[in-house]
Structure formats: structure tokens, C-alpha cells
Amino acid sequence: MVVEIPRWTNAKVEIATGEKMNPLKQDIKKGKLRFVRNCFPYKGYIWNYGALPQTWEDPTEVNQDTGAKGDNDPIDVCEIGEQIGYPGQVKQVKILGVLALLDEGETDWKLIAIDVKDPMAAVLHDIDDVQKHFPNLLQATRHWFKIYKMPDGKPENQFAFGGQCKNKAYAQAVVNETHSAWKRLIHGKVPNKADTHAIDTTNMTVDQSPYKAAVELHRLASAKGVEQDYRIDGRDDKWYHIKSQL
């Protein structure tokens, strides 16, 4: 996985799929950098949060199990190990299960995984092991995703499967499905721009891809700074007390 948001932080950093080479960028909303609110008793994100590269939740296809189309992003990962990551860190993870969030009517899979180097990785093999060795973490994870947008005036998020996490085998099937969708996209079998999505598929490593660049574009790109007042105005350290049952 690629870490986008370290545990206990709030800056909403994500892979910018619409920009060339898909850099990590902090989301901007209404001209301000976006920060996820602190919903009591949580502080920021409660795991290292990131995504699996080379996956795509296809917004043109309805998932048979969730009844909803994909959210047009790489599949998300909640990494539950003890080490706090950093943005851009690459972690090899062991997949343990998956939660099916229905975010504003779209299928938004949340993989539950652990860094293979974590001391607990040796005893965690499936989703039941998470419940055994990390009591209440799965319930807290579901609650966090249910309420995290409510301070901004949005309704509770919904879940497929009654909010229950599916096991490792199911999660691996979801990964395989989203990887196959990415391959169709990167090989040009699915258009990278349509009414449902606009993705920059420029790359330097996929030989069969019609979007493979002839030059090393990442060496030509220049970093653009962010004005200081952007960083301050969007920040919100308030704790929001939300009424919602687990």
C-alpha cells in the first residue's frame, strides 16, 4: 500500500488520479485545504490510511453484492499496525478483511490490513483474528466511517452486509476484481475519460499501455508550494460530539 494519511492526523491527502503521474496531494474544498474533523472519541484517522496502487473501483459497473457502482478511486486500506506511517510510505501489508462502505451511494471498499513487519502480523491471519487480538477496533472502524462526514452537515454513511467486515478470502477477491478493472483502464480497454470519470493514466512502467510516456515525466515535474494561509485556515482541532449508535 501507499500511505496517504498517517494515524492520528487529519489532513485529507489522497492520490490525485486526475493529474499527471497521480501525485499525493491534500484535497482542497472551497479554496481551503481539507482536514477531516475529530469526532469524539477519535483523533483524526485511527489507522494508517492509504490505497493499493494498480486498483480501480470502476464507476461504470454495479457491484452485485453491494448494489452500487465503484467510487472511481484506488481501493482504500486501513493499516492497523503499531508504527505510525508517513505520506508516501510504501508498506507491504497482509490483507485480513474488508468493509463495504456505501459513501454517498457509491461502493467504497475499505481493506483491513497490517504491515507484514508488525509484531502482530504473525498472529493475524483473518478478520476473526483482528476481533480477538484488537478488541473493538472493527466496531470503532465502522463507527468512524459512519460519522466522519457528519460535522460537515452530511448524513451518516451506510454499509453493505449490515456493516460487517467480510473475511480475508472475500477481501482478496475484491482486490483481484479492482486490479482487473485497473488493467482494463491502463490498457485502454476502458476509456480513461467519460461522464463518470476522468483519470490521467500516463505511466512509465506498463509496456502494453497506450498511455506509457516516452520520457521520464516525474523528473520534469516541479513541486508547487502551498500558501501558508491555506495551511492554517482549513485546520480544525475541535472535537465533535456526534449522536450515532455503533
Side-chain angles (χ1 to χ4, degrees), residues 63-66 75 94-101 107-113 125-131 138 141-142 159-175:
N63 182 275
Q64 291 184 350
D65 291 340
T66 66
I75 193 169
K94 178 190 285 190
I95 296 170
L96 303 169
V98 67
L99 180 68
L101 177 67
T107 302
D108 189 2
W109 298 108
K110 308 296 181 184
L111 291 173
I112 309 299
H125 306 291
D126 214 320
I127 200 66
D128 289 340
D129 297 322
V130 179
Q131 187 69 15
L138 296 180
T141 295
R142 182 174 65 251
F159 302 89
F161 314 118
Q164 297 302 307
C165 285
K166 304 295 282 185
N167 64 17
K168 178 177 182 175
Y170 189 97
Q172 188 61 59
V174 170
V175 171

Side-chain angles (χ1 to χ4, degrees), residues 179-241:
H179 178 58
S180 295
W182 172 84
K183 287 196 293 186
R184 293 193 296 272
L185 180 70
I186 203 72
H187 290 147
K189 296 180 180 178
V190 174
N192 61 359
K193 290 181 175 59
D195 292 340
T196 53
H197 59 278
I199 299 177
D200 193 304
T201 45
T202 305
N203 68 88
M204 297 181 298
T205 59
V206 185
D207 291 334
Q208 298 82 11
S209 173
Y211 310 111
K212 185 178 180 182
V215 295
E216 295 184 342
L217 296 177
H218 66 302
R219 300 188 185 279
L220 302 178
S222 59
K224 295 182 180 179
V226 178
E227 296 295 332
Q228 185 66 21
D229 62 347
Y230 264 141
R231 297 183 184 275
I232 297 172
D233 289 349
R235 191 172 182 86
D236 182 4
D237 289 324
K238 178 181 176 181
W239 231 349
Y240 289 84
H241 295 259

